[in-house]
Amino acid sequence: MMFKKLTEWPSSKILKISVIIGFVLSFAVIPVMQYFTQLSGFPAEIFSSQLSFNGAVMKSYYALTNIELYRFAPSLDYIFMLGYGIILFSSSILIARSFKTSSIIQQEGLIVAISGVIAACCDAIENIFILAMLTDPSGFPDYWAITHSVFALIKWILLVIVIIWILLFAILSLIKRIRRK
Protein backbone atom coordinates (compact mmCIF):
# COMPACT_ATOMS: atom_id res chain seq x y z
CA MET A 1 0.00 0.00 0.00
CA MET A 2 1.25 3.47 -0.89
CA PHE A 3 0.57 4.85 2.59
CA LYS A 4 2.70 2.14 4.19
CA LYS A 5 5.57 3.13 1.90
CA LEU A 6 5.31 6.72 3.19
CA THR A 7 6.03 5.54 6.73
CA GLU A 8 9.57 4.72 5.59
CA TRP A 9 10.28 6.70 2.43
CA PRO A 10 11.44 9.37 1.87
CA SER A 11 13.81 9.49 4.80
CA SER A 12 13.17 11.95 7.62
CA LYS A 13 16.35 13.79 6.69
CA ILE A 14 15.11 14.32 3.12
CA LEU A 15 11.71 15.44 4.42
CA LYS A 16 13.30 17.99 6.77
CA ILE A 17 15.46 19.36 3.94
CA SER A 18 12.36 19.44 1.73
CA VAL A 19 10.48 21.55 4.28
CA ILE A 20 13.31 24.08 4.27
CA ILE A 21 13.43 24.12 0.46
CA GLY A 22 9.65 24.53 0.38
CA PHE A 23 9.81 27.56 2.67
CA VAL A 24 12.60 29.11 0.59
CA LEU A 25 10.64 28.63 -2.64
CA SER A 26 7.39 29.92 -1.14
CA PHE A 27 8.70 32.95 0.64
CA ALA A 28 11.10 33.96 -2.13
CA VAL A 29 8.34 34.21 -4.72
CA ILE A 30 5.53 35.78 -2.65
CA PRO A 31 6.89 39.35 -2.76
CA VAL A 32 7.50 39.14 -6.50
CA MET A 33 3.96 37.86 -7.13
CA GLN A 34 2.54 40.63 -4.95
CA TYR A 35 4.66 43.21 -6.75
CA PHE A 36 3.36 42.24 -10.19
CA THR A 37 -0.22 41.97 -8.95
CA GLN A 38 -0.04 45.45 -7.43
CA LEU A 39 1.83 46.94 -10.40
CA SER A 40 -0.78 45.50 -12.80
CA GLY A 41 -3.61 47.24 -10.98
CA PHE A 42 -5.58 44.03 -10.44
CA PRO A 43 -8.38 45.36 -8.22
CA ALA A 44 -9.63 42.30 -6.32
CA GLU A 45 -8.58 40.58 -3.14
CA ILE A 46 -7.54 36.94 -3.37
CA PHE A 47 -10.78 35.38 -2.09
CA SER A 48 -13.14 37.62 -4.05
CA SER A 49 -11.37 36.82 -7.30
CA GLN A 50 -10.71 33.13 -6.72
CA LEU A 51 -14.17 32.38 -5.39
CA SER A 52 -16.25 34.65 -7.61
CA PHE A 53 -17.79 31.82 -9.68
CA ASN A 54 -18.69 34.57 -12.15
CA GLY A 55 -17.27 35.33 -15.59
CA ALA A 56 -18.67 38.87 -15.67
CA VAL A 57 -16.99 39.70 -12.37
CA MET A 58 -13.63 38.36 -13.56
CA LYS A 59 -13.96 40.28 -16.83
CA SER A 60 -14.63 43.47 -14.85
CA TYR A 61 -11.46 42.86 -12.81
CA TYR A 62 -9.40 42.24 -15.94
CA ALA A 63 -10.79 45.40 -17.59
CA LEU A 64 -8.98 47.39 -14.88
CA THR A 65 -5.78 45.35 -15.08
CA ASN A 66 -2.59 45.55 -17.11
CA ILE A 67 -2.81 41.95 -18.31
CA GLU A 68 0.81 41.69 -19.42
CA LEU A 69 2.05 42.61 -15.94
CA TYR A 70 -0.60 40.58 -14.16
CA ARG A 71 0.26 37.42 -16.15
CA PHE A 72 3.52 37.18 -14.18
CA ALA A 73 1.70 36.59 -10.87
CA PRO A 74 -0.18 33.38 -11.79
CA SER A 75 2.88 32.17 -13.69
CA LEU A 76 5.13 32.63 -10.65
CA ASP A 77 2.43 31.07 -8.47
CA TYR A 78 3.55 27.67 -9.78
CA ILE A 79 6.78 28.09 -7.80
CA PHE A 80 4.73 28.99 -4.71
CA MET A 81 2.54 25.90 -5.25
CA LEU A 82 5.59 23.68 -5.48
CA GLY A 83 6.92 25.23 -2.27
CA TYR A 84 3.78 24.90 -0.20
CA GLY A 85 3.01 21.47 -1.63
CA ILE A 86 6.43 20.28 -0.48
CA ILE A 87 5.95 21.88 2.96
CA LEU A 88 2.52 20.32 3.51
CA PHE A 89 3.54 16.90 2.22
CA SER A 90 6.82 16.69 4.12
CA SER A 91 5.63 18.14 7.41
CA SER A 92 2.51 15.94 7.44
CA ILE A 93 4.60 12.83 6.99
CA LEU A 94 7.13 13.90 9.63
CA ILE A 95 4.33 14.56 12.12
CA ALA A 96 2.51 11.33 11.22
CA ARG A 97 5.69 9.34 11.81
CA SER A 98 5.91 10.68 15.36
CA PHE A 99 2.81 8.63 16.22
CA LYS A 100 2.53 4.89 16.69
CA THR A 101 2.96 2.89 13.49
CA SER A 102 -0.36 2.02 11.85
CA SER A 103 -2.29 4.18 14.32
CA ILE A 104 -5.30 6.10 13.09
CA ILE A 105 -3.43 9.38 13.58
CA GLN A 106 -0.52 8.14 11.49
CA GLN A 107 -2.86 6.96 8.73
CA GLU A 108 -4.69 10.31 8.79
CA GLY A 109 -1.36 12.11 8.53
CA LEU A 110 -0.39 10.17 5.44
CA ILE A 111 -3.76 10.97 3.84
CA VAL A 112 -3.31 14.61 4.85
CA ALA A 113 0.12 14.60 3.17
CA ILE A 114 -1.45 13.47 -0.10
CA SER A 115 -4.25 16.04 0.37
CA GLY A 116 -1.64 18.81 0.54
CA VAL A 117 -0.30 17.69 -2.83
CA ILE A 118 -3.83 17.51 -4.24
CA ALA A 119 -4.44 21.09 -3.01
CA ALA A 120 -1.35 22.29 -4.88
CA CYS A 121 -2.51 20.41 -8.00
CA CYS A 122 -5.95 22.05 -7.76
CA ASP A 123 -4.14 25.40 -7.48
CA ALA A 124 -2.20 24.55 -10.63
CA ILE A 125 -5.40 23.75 -12.53
CA GLU A 126 -7.00 26.93 -11.17
CA ASN A 127 -4.06 28.90 -12.59
CA ILE A 128 -4.39 27.20 -15.97
CA PHE A 129 -7.87 28.73 -16.13
CA ILE A 130 -6.56 32.13 -15.00
CA LEU A 131 -3.91 32.08 -17.72
CA ALA A 132 -6.51 30.93 -20.26
CA MET A 133 -8.84 33.78 -19.23
CA LEU A 134 -5.95 36.22 -19.67
CA THR A 135 -5.61 35.22 -23.35
CA ASP A 136 -8.95 36.96 -23.97
CA PRO A 137 -9.75 38.90 -20.79
CA SER A 138 -13.00 40.37 -22.08
CA GLY A 139 -14.29 37.48 -24.17
CA PHE A 140 -13.44 34.21 -22.46
CA PRO A 141 -16.31 31.76 -21.84
CA ASP A 142 -17.94 32.35 -18.45
CA TYR A 143 -17.63 28.68 -17.52
CA TRP A 144 -13.83 29.18 -17.33
CA ALA A 145 -14.35 31.49 -14.36
CA ILE A 146 -16.71 29.00 -12.76
CA THR A 147 -14.28 26.11 -13.27
CA HIS A 148 -11.44 28.28 -11.98
CA SER A 149 -13.45 28.97 -8.82
CA VAL A 150 -14.39 25.31 -8.34
CA PHE A 151 -10.72 24.32 -8.28
CA ALA A 152 -9.93 27.28 -6.02
CA LEU A 153 -12.66 26.18 -3.59
CA ILE A 154 -11.37 22.61 -3.48
CA LYS A 155 -7.85 23.96 -2.94
CA TRP A 156 -8.95 26.20 -0.03
CA ILE A 157 -10.98 23.43 1.63
CA LEU A 158 -8.03 21.04 1.44
CA LEU A 159 -5.57 23.70 2.61
CA VAL A 160 -7.67 24.54 5.66
CA ILE A 161 -8.03 20.85 6.58
CA VAL A 162 -4.33 20.11 6.06
CA ILE A 163 -3.08 23.17 7.93
CA ILE A 164 -5.41 22.55 10.88
CA TRP A 165 -4.32 18.90 11.02
CA ILE A 166 -0.64 19.87 10.89
CA LEU A 167 -1.01 22.48 13.63
CA LEU A 168 -3.10 20.28 15.94
CA PHE A 169 -1.00 17.16 15.62
CA ALA A 170 2.32 19.02 15.66
CA ILE A 171 1.28 20.44 19.04
CA LEU A 172 0.08 17.01 20.20
CA SER A 173 3.35 15.44 19.04
CA LEU A 174 5.34 18.10 20.86
CA ILE A 175 3.34 17.56 24.08
CA LYS A 176 3.87 13.81 23.73
CA ARG A 177 7.63 14.33 23.29
CA ILE A 178 7.85 16.68 26.30
CA ARG A 179 5.99 14.20 28.53
CA ARG A 180 8.41 11.44 27.60
CA LYS A 181 11.37 13.49 28.84
Side-chain angles (χ1 to χ4, degrees):
M1 179 179 193
M2 182 180 149
F3 294 132
K4 185 167 176 57
K5 179 78 172 165
L6 292 176
T7 62
E8 303 164 359
W9 180 89
S11 72
S12 293
K13 181 179 179 180
I14 289 173
L15 291 170
K16 289 173 186 174
I17 292 169
S18 296
V19 169
I20 294 167
I21 291 169
F23 274 108
V24 169
L25 288 172
S26 296
F27 289 105
V29 77
I30 287 172
V32 181
M33 288 171 31
Q34 290 174 333
Y35 172 77
F36 280 107
T37 300
Q38 187 175 25
L39 191 62
S40 73
F42 187 72
E45 296 297 322
I46 190 166
F47 290 113
S48 59
S49 67
Q50 289 185 1
L51 302 175
S52 72
F53 293 93
N54 189 316
V57 168
M58 293 304 295
K59 290 171 186 169
S60 72
Y61 294 155
Y62 294 146
L64 302 172
T65 304
N66 179 322
I67 299 302
E68 296 310 311
L69 290 174
Y70 181 67
R71 194 181 319 270
F72 284 105
S75 298
L76 290 170
D77 195 21
Y78 285 97
I79 297 169
F80 180 67
M81 290 173 221
L82 178 63
Y84 81 71
I86 290 170
I87 293 166
L88 297 177
F89 178 81
S90 299
S91 59
S92 297
I93 291 176
L94 287 168
I95 294 165
R97 287 179 184 173
S98 71
F99 292 92
K100 187 184 285 187
T101 304
S102 298
S103 68
I104 291 173
I105 295 174
Q106 188 179 73
Q107 294 302 313
E108 284 176 0
L110 301 177
I111 292 168
V112 164
I114 301 301
S115 298
V117 173
I118 292 170
C121 290
C122 286
D123 200 353
I125 295 168
E126 168 198 343
N127 277 25
I128 288 170
F129 282 96
I130 292 172
L131 293 168
M133 288 186 282
L134 295 178
T135 62
D136 185 6
S138 62
F140 62 84
D142 288 344
Y143 73 87
W144 286 3
I146 295 167
T147 308
H148 152 265
S149 293
V150 167
F151 280 100
L153 179 62
I154 295 167
K155 168 193 75 178
W156 284 113
I157 291 169
L158 289 173
L159 284 175
V160 167
I161 291 168
V162 171
I163 291 168
I164 288 171
W165 189 94
I166 288 171
L167 292 173
L168 287 175
F169 287 99
I171 292 167
L172 186 61
S173 177
L174 185 60
I175 290 169
K176 192 174 92 171
R177 187 177 301 157
I178 290 170
R179 286 186 180 165
R180 272 192 251 154
K181 289 183 180 184

